[in-house]
Amino acid sequence: RQKLLEDAISPSEVAKLLGTTRQTPHDRRESGLLLAVLSNGVWRFPLWQFDPYGPNGVIDGLPDVIRTLKVSDLAKINWLVSPSKVFAGQRPLDLLKAGEKKRVIEEATTVGTTL
C-alpha cells in the first residue's frame, strides 16, 4: 500500500496541477474519472494518472478502465502498475499510455472475476 501511494498527491495538489478548484478532484474521484485512496484521513491521488495532453488532464482511456474494473481503488492502482503475464510482462498502465485502450479495457473486464 505504501509503495503504491509513494508518488501520490493531495487533492489541493491535484487541483493546482489541473488548474481547477479544490472540489474538482473529489468530484472526479466520485464519478470514476480519477483514482484515489484514503490514507491517514487524506485522499491520495497517484501522480502517474495525470497527463497534461490527455482529456481532462489524465491518461486517455483511464476513466474507462477505472469504471470497468470492479475492485477496490487500491486494487485498481495495483493492477494498473503491476507487470502482467497477459501483456507479456508490461504494465496495463504502459499499454494505456501507448494507446492500447481497447486491449486494456478488455482485460480489465476479467479482473476480480472467478472462472
Side-chain angles (χ1 to χ4, degrees):
R1 177 183 175 98
Q2 193 172 19
K3 178 138 177 73
L4 290 174
L5 297 177
E6 69 185 358
D7 74 338
I9 58 177
S10 69
S12 59
E13 291 170 307
V14 172
K16 185 176 180 179
L17 182 71
L18 297 176
T20 63
T21 68
R22 287 178 46 152
Q23 184 60 39
T24 301
H26 297 288
D27 293 343
R28 290 187 183 179
R29 178 191 54 78
E30 289 174 12
S31 63
L33 300 175
L34 287 175
L35 277 172
V37 173
L38 196 59
S39 180
N40 295 322
V42 177
W43 287 103
R44 306 293 295 164
F45 294 78
L47 189 57
W48 51 254
Q49 67 188 312
F50 299 100
D51 177 356
Y53 304 105
N56 294 313
V58 299
I59 297 168
D60 186 28
L62 182 65
D64 297 319
V65 174
I66 292 171
R67 289 191 289 257
T68 299
L69 289 165
K70 303 301 181 203
V71 293
S72 72
D73 282 350
L74 189 60
K76 290 175 185 182
I77 292 167
N78 186 55
W79 183 78
L80 282 159
V81 301
S82 297
S84 171
K85 290 179 184 177
V86 173
F87 298 132
Q90 291 184 289
R91 304 178 311 163
L93 176 61
D94 296 326
L95 284 143
L96 200 55
K97 287 180 176 181
E100 296 195 43
K101 178 172 122 176
K102 183 178 178 185
R103 188 171 166 206
V104 175
I105 290 171
E106 286 173 2
E107 186 60 26
T109 63
T110 69
V111 175
T113 62
T114 55
L115 298 175

